[in-house]
């Protein structure tokens, strides 16, 4: 007697589940100005809010879109920090949202090239109540991105694998 089985049948037979990846667009975003926060400088930070699936997340990558404006001709850096979810898109400001956050990662981007992704897996896995909030800071400042209200498909998103 001969036996044959595809790898999919083998996986099903022994109860292995295949990973599934979905793209989740930012649900809330705001540009927050912190006046005089660092010495006499004004600091402009992007605040992103995501609604995560109620599943066990194995990988989570922040997808960074092309900016609509960059204040340099060479390179710019983007750094990401996780922060609390205590903010509302229509009322958040530098006066009511603390700059407290835990650095996650950064990426250096040559102007004109597509920004890389940043691994935010541990932050997605530790998100409270299925919500994740991230600060995105650019150096030099004044690197601008489309907001969710722009209607553009080129906005921040997450590739979530579970």
């Amino acid at each position: 007697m001969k036996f044959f089985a595809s790898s999919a049948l083998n996986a099903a037979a022994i109860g292995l589940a295949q990973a599934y990846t979905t793209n989740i667009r930012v649900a809330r975003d705001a540009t927050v100005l912190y006046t005089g926060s660092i010495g006499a400088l004004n600091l402009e930070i992007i605040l992103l809010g995501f609604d995560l699936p109620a599943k066990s997340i194995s990988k989570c990558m922040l997808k960074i879109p092309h900016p609509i404006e960059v204040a340099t001709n060479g390179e710019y850096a983007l750094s990401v920090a996780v922060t609390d979810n205590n903010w509302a898109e229509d009322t958040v400001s530098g006066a009511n949202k603390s700059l407290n956050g835990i650095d996650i990662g950064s990426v250096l981007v040559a102007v004109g090239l597509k920004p890389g992704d940043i691994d935010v897996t541990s932050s997605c896995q530790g998100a409270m109540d299925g919500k994740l909030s991230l600060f995105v800071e650019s150096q030099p400042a004044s690197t601008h991105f489309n907001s969710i209200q722009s209607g553009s498909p080129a906005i921040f998103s997450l590739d979530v694998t579970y």
Side-chain angles (χ1 to χ4, degrees):
M1 180 179 286
K2 292 184 180 179
F3 291 97
F4 73 95
S6 72
S7 60
L9 289 175
N10 284 336
I14 58 175
L16 296 178
Q18 291 186 340
Y20 178 75
T21 301
T22 187
N23 182 264
I24 299 171
R25 294 170 47 104
V26 64
R28 298 162 295 289
D29 61 10
T31 300
V32 183
L33 180 63
Y34 292 90
T35 304
S37 295
I38 308 221
L41 297 177
N42 290 335
L43 184 60
E44 189 177 272
I45 295 183
I46 300 165
L47 185 56
L48 305 172
F50 292 94
D51 296 330
L52 301 175
K55 299 183 186 281
S56 180
I57 295 172
S58 62
K59 188 170 186 178
C60 192
M61 299 296 290
L62 178 63
K63 308 294 284 181
I64 302 169
H66 280 286
I68 55 174
E69 181 181 355
V70 180
T72 183
N73 290 326
E75 294 179 325
Y76 62 97
L78 295 173
S79 58
V80 178
V82 65
T83 188
D84 62 64
N85 298 314
N86 298 326
W87 62 281
E89 185 176 29
D90 56 346
T91 60
V92 69
S93 72
N96 63 23
K97 177 68 180 119
S98 168
L99 268 171
N100 292 339
I102 299 169
D103 291 335
I104 301 172
S106 62
V107 64
L108 187 62
V109 184
V111 172
L113 297 181
K114 181 179 180 341
D117 302 337
I118 296 178
D119 189 336
V120 296
T121 302
S122 62
S123 299
C124 288
Q125 291 170 336
M128 302 298 288
D129 301 321
K131 302 220 180 282
L132 176 68
S133 290
L134 302 171
F135 281 131
V136 178
E137 181 182 354
S138 66
Q139 291 296 328
S142 300
T143 300
H144 297 112
F145 294 87
N146 281 317
S147 71
I148 193 169
Q149 289 81 7
S150 72
S152 171
I155 61 173
F156 287 91
S157 66
L158 294 173
D159 273 354
V160 178
T161 303
Y162 46 92

